[in-house]
Structure formats: C-alpha cells, structure tokens
C-alpha cells in the first residue's frame, strides 16, 4: 500500500475515544468519560427538521446557511454579549468542530504556529496538524487554577505565530476565563497582530459567573477585527447528531469565507438548519433545565470528591469536573483509567488526553444521570 500523508500518520490516538470505546464494550460499565448530553430533543425541534423533509426542501442552501438561521444566531449573540454583529458575519457550519477547521483553514498556512491550551480539547492540535500548521501549547498550571497567564502565552510568540486559541468555558477543566483576562488576551493579540479563535461551545453553561466573549473587546472595523467565535448547538440543546454550529467572523471576509465553505462542505444539511432555527427561536426552558441538572451534578459529585479527600478544580462552567487522582495513578493516568475500568467498571477520561499537564488528572463528565455519576465517583479510592 502506498504511504499515507505524514501529517495524518502523526496525528495521535484520541485517548477519550480509546477509553470510551473500551467502556462501551464492557457490560454494565458506568461511562463518565464522554461529554454527550443525555436530554431528549424537544418535539418542536424534531418537527421542524421533519417538516423540512416533508416539504422536500432538500436542495443546496446558500454556503453560509439559510438567512433566517444566520439572523437567529446573530440576534442571540447580540442579546447575550451586547456585540452589534449582523447576520452577514455568521456562517452556519456542521458543528463546532467544522467551525474550528473552517477558521483554521482560513488563517493558517503550512508551518504557521497556533497557540493552544494545555490542558485543552484534543482536536485543537489534531486539526491544526491536518492543515500542516504547528500547534504550540501554552500552559495552564494547577497553581494558577488552570487560568491562562499573559506572560506564559507571550513567551511562546514567534514570528510564525498566527493564532491564539481560547476555550471558555473549558473542556476539560470547567474553568471560565474572567472578563479582565479576556480583555487582556485580546489586547495581547492586538499587540502582536494575531488572530483569536474563541471556542465557546459551552457558553450556555456557566454557574454564577458570566460568560464573556472576546468579541466584546474586538474592533468591528474590517481589516482591524481579529476574533472568530465558534458556537454550537450540540451542547446547548443536546443535538450532537444534527451537526449544527456557527462561526462568527470578522467583517469583510465574506467572499473568502464563501470560498472556504464551498471547498469544505458547500453547505450544511437543510433539515438540520431548520431544526436549529426552531431550537434557537422556540421555548428555551429546556436549556435552563439542563443547566440546573449540570449544576446539581457538579455540586453532588464535588461534595463526594471532597469527602474522599480527592482534590478537584471547582467547575464554573461546561459539564465536567477535573479531579486529581495522582495518589493512585502512579504517574501514568492513561494506563490507570484502563485498569480502573477493568477492576471497578467505571470509565473516566484520562487528563493526558488533553495534554501533558493533565498527567495525574481525570475528567469526569457531569452530563448523565446523577445516581450513575455518584455510583461511579463513589468507586474512586479515597486519598488518605
Ligand atoms: C471544546 C469543544 N470544542 C468543539 C467540540 C465539537 O463540538 P461539535 O459537536 O459542535 O462539533 C467539542 C465537543 O465536545 C468541544 O468540547
């Protein structure tokens, strides 16, 4: 067989998938290693997708998405972040993952560097490698509560750096970047003339702290604006399989965006777009119910960890708890989660799935049922 491209050969195994697939094939296992919201889709959302098929509205849509959906995303962003953006800056994409690929395709040439968080979501590195760019990890240290520090990021900037990747609320940390740090990060990008890609997948789920988008501190003048905001309905409405997200772009890039969109996917499936429109414009009560459920799971699991003396980061957002199991993991948390699944029947994502700083840590998904979550966490060995 001829060789595969080098950049594909070098993409590492996704350790979340590795442990989760092992858990799925373990009868009776409690799976706390994956972030899949358990809520059923509301009827009006399903109906909107089905009605689109019934109308036989199954042709191509405009590259950037149906106008009503672009406007719904823009209106929501205006309302939540107070940022005055128009629908022409919104591109409907096949989930946040494609939005990230899309933004990186527009910004990164081969050999360019992108600064990504460590610990951070694994595809930030995978996607940039696929584009022949170079992911450079900026550290989020336990002693700083895993918050980004400007001097750590600034020290990594070279003439090849093009992009700073941000993710708040964070997967895997549940950490939320403060308004002041967000402002400083945008100022840093301006000082070094860099782009920002802001992954705001979990924007709907913060607990007692606001979610502040870097777009608030960006210029809105074409040629000066530098923030790309990646949004998804996968987490907010629990519709991961419909594959709908949005990328909000700096103004003035419309033609270039259309070209990139055309060459990657042309447009997103129309039934998914109509379902998304119904989700964004219909009743929102199930989003607040989901938030209350995650908060209650966070509180219950945090209390159990505290009882066992296991250190963890107090989650301010998303639906994950980041816990320190270095008292049992023996310096190899990836091997330890496999052994723990075999011995105790519970899967957690190993911290090393998210970068080297995750050694000794696990990510506990809070999005399932509470009893199962507590049964799983109860099996963790206490710290003496
Ligand atoms: C931080 C982060 N970004 C992007 C994604 C991809 O989301 P989507 O399903 O919208 O592609 C996820 C999914 O888990 C995520 O956690």
């Amino acid at each position: 067989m001829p060789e595969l491209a080098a950049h594909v050969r070098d993409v590492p195994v996704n350790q979340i998938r590795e442990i989760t697939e092992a858990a799925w094939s373990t009868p009776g296992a409690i799976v706390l290693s994956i972030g899949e919201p358990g809520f059923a889709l509301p009827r009006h959302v399903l109906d909107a997708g089905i009605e689109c098929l019934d109308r036989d509205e199954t042709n191509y849509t405009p590259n950037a998405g149906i106008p009503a959906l672009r406007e719904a995303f823009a209106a929501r962003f205006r309302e939540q972040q107070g940022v005055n953006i128009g629908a022409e800056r919104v591109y409907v994409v096949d989930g946040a993952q494609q939005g990230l690929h899309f933004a990186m395709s527009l910004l990164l040439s081969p050999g360019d560097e992108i600064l990504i968080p460590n610990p951070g979501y694994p595809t930030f590195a995978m996607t940039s490698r696929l584009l022949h760019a170079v992911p450079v990890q900026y550290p989020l240290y336990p002693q700083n509560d895993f918050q980004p520090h400007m001097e750590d990021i600034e020290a990594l900037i070279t003439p090849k750096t093009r992009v700073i990747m941000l993710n708040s609320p964070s997967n895997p940390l549940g950490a939320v970047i403060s308004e002041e740090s967000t402002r400083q990060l945008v100022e840093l990008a301006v000082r070094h003339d860099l782009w920002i890609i802001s992954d705001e997948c979990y924007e709907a789920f913060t607990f007692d702290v606001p979610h502040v988008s870097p777009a608030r501190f960006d210029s809105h003048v074409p040629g000066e604006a530098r923030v790309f905001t990646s949004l998804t309905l996968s987490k907010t409405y629990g519709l991961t399989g419909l594959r709908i997200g949005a990328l909000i772009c700096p103004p003035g890039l419309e033609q270039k965006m259309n070209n990139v969109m055309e060459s990657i996917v042309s447009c997103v499936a129309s039934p998914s777009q109509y379902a998304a429109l119904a989700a964004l414009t219909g009743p929102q009560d199930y989003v607040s119910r989901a938030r209350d459920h995650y908060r209650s799971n966070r509180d219950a699991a945090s209390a159990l960890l505290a009882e066992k003396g296991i250190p963890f980061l107090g989650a301010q957002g998303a639906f994950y708890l980041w816990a320190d199991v270095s008292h049992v993991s023996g310096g190899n948390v990836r091997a330890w989660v496999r052994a723990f699944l075999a011995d105790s029947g519970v899967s957690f994502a190993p911290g090393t799935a998210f970068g080297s700083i995750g050694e000794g840590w696990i990510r506990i998904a809070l999005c399932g049922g509470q009893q199962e979550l507590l049964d799983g966490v109860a099996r963790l060995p206490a710290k003496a």
Side-chain angles (χ1 to χ4, degrees), residues 10-18 122 126 334 353:
D10 295 347
V11 173
V13 172
N14 183 323
Q15 294 178 34
I16 308 172
R17 283 270 154 201
E18 180 182 69
M126 291 162 77
R334 181 179 180 184

Side-chain angles (χ1 to χ4, degrees), residues 82-98:
V83 179
N84 190 18
I85 61 144
E88 75 290 347
R89 290 179 54 185
V90 176
Y91 280 71
V92 177
V93 289
D94 255 332
Q97 184 48 47
Q98 196 197 42

Side-chain angles (χ1 to χ4, degrees), residues 67-102:
L69 180 56
R70 298 177 76 191
E71 176 48 34
F73 271 115
R76 187 186 158 104
F77 198 68
R78 283 196 297 268
E79 186 191 315
Q80 291 186 338
Q81 295 295 327
V83 179
N84 190 18
I85 61 144
E88 75 290 347
R89 290 179 54 185
V90 176
Y91 280 71
V92 177
V93 289
D94 255 332
Q97 184 48 47
Q98 196 197 42
L100 297 176
H101 184 201
F102 194 179

Side-chain angles (χ1 to χ4, degrees), residues 11-12 104 114 116 121-130 133 135 137:
V11 173
M104 287 187 202
I114 171 169
I116 63 170
Y121 187 59
T123 70
F124 299 160
M126 291 162 77
T127 307
S128 40
R129 283 210 185 95
L130 266 182
Q137 298 183 330

Side-chain angles (χ1 to χ4, degrees), residues 35 94-98 100 121 123-124 167 169-171 199 201-202 230-235 240 243-245 320 363:
D94 255 332
Q97 184 48 47
Q98 196 197 42
L100 297 176
Y121 187 59
T123 70
F124 299 160
N167 174 216
S170 155
N171 177 8
D199 180 332
C201 257
Y202 297 93
S230 175
L231 302 170
T232 182
L233 301 193
S234 293
K235 311 291 173 179
T240 47
R243 311 304 304 135
I244 283 280
Y320 305 104
R363 187 196 71 176

Side-chain angles (χ1 to χ4, degrees), residues 30-39 289-290 292-298 300-301 319-320 364-374:
I30 298 180
V31 183
L32 301 178
S33 47
I34 196 153
E36 173 84 54
F39 289 97
R289 275 206 305 279
D292 292 345
H293 177 67
Y294 302 147
R295 181 201 297 268
S296 159
N297 275 358
R298 175 201 65 167
F319 43 61
Y320 305 104
I364 305 171
L366 299 172
C367 40
Q370 190 162 111
Q371 198 49 55
E372 213 184 31
L373 169 68
L374 296 181

Side-chain angles (χ1 to χ4, degrees), residues 10-23 33 122 322-323 325-326 328-343 346-363:
D10 295 347
V11 173
V13 172
N14 183 323
Q15 294 178 34
I16 308 172
R17 283 270 154 201
E18 180 182 69
I19 185 69
T20 303
E21 276 161 29
S33 47
W322 184 244
V325 294
S326 53
V328 283
S329 62
N332 185 347
V333 75
R334 181 179 180 184
W336 181 81
V337 293
R338 288 299 294 261
F340 190 72
L341 171 65
D343 298 343
V346 187
S347 70
F348 299 107
T352 44
F354 308 96
S356 54
I357 295 179
E359 183 53 78
W361 294 76
I362 53 171
R363 187 196 71 176

